[in-house]
Amino acid sequence: STPVASRKSQVATKADLLELFVKPHEVAQKKAEAESLPSITLDEVDLQWVHVLSEGWAAPLKGFMREDEYLQTIHFNCIRQSDGTLVNQSVPIVLAVDDAKKAELEKCAAITLRDEDGKAVAILRKPEFYIHYKEERCARTFGLTDARHPYAEIIYNSGNWLVGGDLEVLERIKYNDGLDNYRLTPRELMEEYEKRGADAVFFFQLRNPVHNGHALLMTSTREELIKRGFKNPVLVVHQIGGKVKGDDVPLKERIMQNQAVLEEGILDPKSTILGIFPSPMLYAGPTEVQWHAKARMNAGCQFYIVGRDPAGMKHPATDEDMYDPWHGKKALMFAPGLESLEILPFRVAAYDTKVGRMAFFDPSRINDFLFISGSKMRKYARDGEIPPDGFMGRKAWQVLVDYYAGLR
């Protein structure tokens, strides 16, 4: 049975939100203070983690992890709270600095965090420095230590020290890339559910374009929830917004493609919210899947769709799957601190040549189905080929064709 300490609902409401922004009437004073403090310059991924922390996706974390939080994360995938409850936190959210910066700042009570342009974005209070055991972090996060793994490479190239501390974020993180209106915070998402009269919220997390097989899964999930008695389930299609590996389709094109799917009516705009999740992608398989689920619970997610090989990639040495493709889903079924989240069944969709559209795979007619993998889809788009009619909406497909034509 579930331990009492883990049993209470972990799905957040607006009352549970933990944003790390400075209060509006204190912004001017804190900005002036920030200019007087020694500073750390954040790289692209560091800034994305400040963004994640600031909006409450990683609640109850109040800043970059201190050593006790970090140790619990890498060893147990969760952090015990003062009241005994376990909160799932499967990936480290840490800030690395080099030896010189550690020596400069270790006696400071507060440090300003600046973006790459030198703008002050946050103040880190009561900093705590501890050794960054990089190989151990990689082994426990990814199950490998190969520096060719895209996020392991970031870790190995970072500083020898980690610094934790409470964050005061001076203002909302913006990228001014034309996509900020899709970067809805947990608070804004909850307000949107209320506006739409949602009585159930389900999420589909992805870092890829949406094909009609995805859409079939999402629409059939909504129908199943209605059969269970819900009147207006709302879907959040949530694209990873942080750093991804080089061969993934860039965020702008993914959002344009997803928007075309809505415009073509393949997904219903009335019951679908398109949003961006600010986290970078770690490619940590079942470990990362728990992070993706926990963060969405902090945005009021009750039901979660998990597909095949979530957060997976090919092993850099062997080109074989790094993780069993179904372990992500299985891990979520048992993950401590995620008991309140219902994992929805995932049915495999493929192109049914008999009816000329995406359909749920029927093993009794195995020869009638064509499986179009992500790599095959990218090859079609790169080569300017047209996939079978009914695989993806035409406008949505054209976005990908135009993107790959631009690369040529």
Side-chain angles (χ1 to χ4, degrees), residues 17-251:
L17 288 170
L18 179 65
E19 295 171 329
L20 304 182
F21 297 113
V22 169
K23 292 184 174 66
H25 67 277
E26 294 180 344
V27 169
Q29 171 208 331
K30 300 280 187 183
K31 281 187 174 179
E33 182 190 0
E35 292 309 315
S36 72
L37 296 171
S39 65
I40 293 170
T41 299
L42 306 171
D43 66 18
E44 175 192 16
V45 172
D46 295 333
L47 183 65
Q48 289 165 3
W49 284 125
V50 171
H51 186 167
V52 165
L53 290 161
S54 70
E55 294 178 352
W57 296 100
L61 286 182
K62 293 179 180 171
F64 283 109
M65 287 177 176
R66 298 177 182 278
E67 189 174 36
D68 285 357
E69 293 167 323
Y70 173 71
L71 286 174
Q72 291 179 76
T73 295
I74 63 169
H75 288 282
F76 312 129
N77 283 5
C78 52
I79 300 172
R80 191 174 296 284
Q81 303 303 293
S82 57
D83 64 357
T85 55
L86 287 176
V87 174
N88 191 282
Q89 183 58 52
S90 60
V91 302
I93 300 180
V94 290
L95 179 60
V97 294
D98 62 22
D99 297 349
K101 191 56 80 171
K102 187 255 186 186
E104 176 196 341
L105 301 175
E106 63 184 330
K107 291 189 170 63
C108 297
I111 301 165
T112 295
L113 304 184
R114 298 183 180 276
D115 67 16
E116 289 176 321
D117 296 326
K119 179 185 170 190
V121 296
I123 297 173
L124 185 81
R125 301 277 182 197
K126 298 179 186 168
E128 176 188 333
F129 292 86
Y130 53 103
I131 296 176
H132 188 190
Y133 290 102
K134 300 175 189 179
E135 189 173 49
E136 180 191 30
R137 179 179 167 195
C138 290
R140 291 191 175 278
T141 306
F142 311 116
L144 58 59
T145 57
D146 193 314
R148 291 169 295 181
H149 179 284
Y151 204 95
E153 181 183 13
I154 292 170
I155 292 170
Y156 285 122
N157 287 333
S158 69
N160 293 329
W161 297 89
L162 298 176
V163 55
D166 295 357
L167 276 184
E168 293 178 0
V169 181
L170 299 173
E171 56 193 8
R172 191 162 166 181
I173 307 293
K174 298 273 190 182
Y175 300 86
N176 302 312
D177 56 359
L179 302 176
D180 283 327
N181 57 318
Y182 292 100
R183 293 185 175 94
L184 301 171
T185 68
R187 182 180 298 280
E188 289 170 335
L189 283 166
M190 290 179 191
E191 287 166 356
E192 190 63 30
Y193 312 151
E194 285 176 17
K195 204 186 295 179
R196 297 189 188 215
D199 59 352
V201 176
F202 65 111
F203 270 67
F204 190 68
Q205 125 91 37
L206 67 170
R207 65 176 204 261
N208 290 308
V210 169
H211 58 60
N212 289 358
H214 295 136
L216 174 65
L217 175 62
M218 291 184 252
T219 51
S220 69
T221 297
R222 187 170 192 272
E223 288 160 10
E224 286 299 319
L225 289 171
I226 289 169
K227 279 183 198 161
R228 284 168 55 170
F230 293 104
K231 298 283 187 280
N232 186 25
V234 165
L235 161 69
V236 183
V237 176
H238 221 204
Q239 283 284 356
I240 280 278
K243 187 176 176 69
V244 295
K245 58 187 173 65
D247 60 347
D248 282 348
V249 176
L251 179 62

Side-chain angles (χ1 to χ4, degrees), residues 374-407:
S375 53
K376 189 181 281 189
M377 176 183 75
R378 288 190 290 272
K379 186 175 187 307
Y380 278 140
R382 269 199 307 271
D383 297 346
E385 291 180 40
I386 297 173
D389 197 35
F391 169 70
M392 187 182 287
R394 290 186 181 181
K395 272 176 75 176
W397 180 251
Q398 195 58 46
V399 171
L400 298 185
V401 170
D402 292 348
Y403 164 64
Y404 282 108
L407 292 185

